[in-house]
Amino acid sequence: MKFSNKCPKCESNDIYTDEGITKQGVRTAIGISSWTRLYFDMYICSNCGFTEEYVREEDLQDSKKMEKLKENWKKKNTGL
Ligand SMILES: [Zn+2]
């Protein structure tokens, strides 16, 4: 929905997002280490309720945060 403006489940165009809006609530960030948090942009279909979450762009571009992620999380094994 981030890329298409259309819900992949019900094909509705009624997509809402908090992209670029100050984050509120508990589901908008996760801690990947003691000091590092990643924030999400959420995309919600108001027709069927389907929800997508993406790490916000400024966190993806933040190499320190991405380093922390790589230190603390394991890379998904794509071969299995
Ligand atoms: Zn939908």
Side-chain angles (χ1 to χ4, degrees), residues 13-77:
N13 293 310
D14 293 327
I15 311 299
Y16 291 83
T17 181
D18 66 351
E19 188 183 338
I21 297 174
T22 303
K23 306 304 181 198
Q24 305 182 27
V26 293
R27 235 179 114 79
T28 55
I30 55 165
I32 52 171
S33 74
S34 314
W35 303 107
T36 310
R37 294 177 150 255
L38 293 178
Y39 289 87
F40 292 94
D41 291 328
M42 295 187 65
Y43 300 82
I44 297 174
C45 172
S46 68
N47 186 51
C48 75
F50 181 71
T51 305
E52 277 185 356
E53 291 169 282
Y54 287 84
V55 172
R56 65 180 179 172
E57 204 60 36
E58 58 194 281
D59 285 353
L60 277 183
Q61 305 297 336
D62 186 329
S63 54
K64 280 187 194 153
K65 283 194 176 183
M66 289 301 112
E67 275 312 307
K68 282 284 176 205
L69 180 68
K70 288 167 188 172
E71 269 172 46
N72 289 285
W73 287 31
K74 59 184 182 183
K75 186 159 191 248
K76 191 168 184 308
N77 189 331

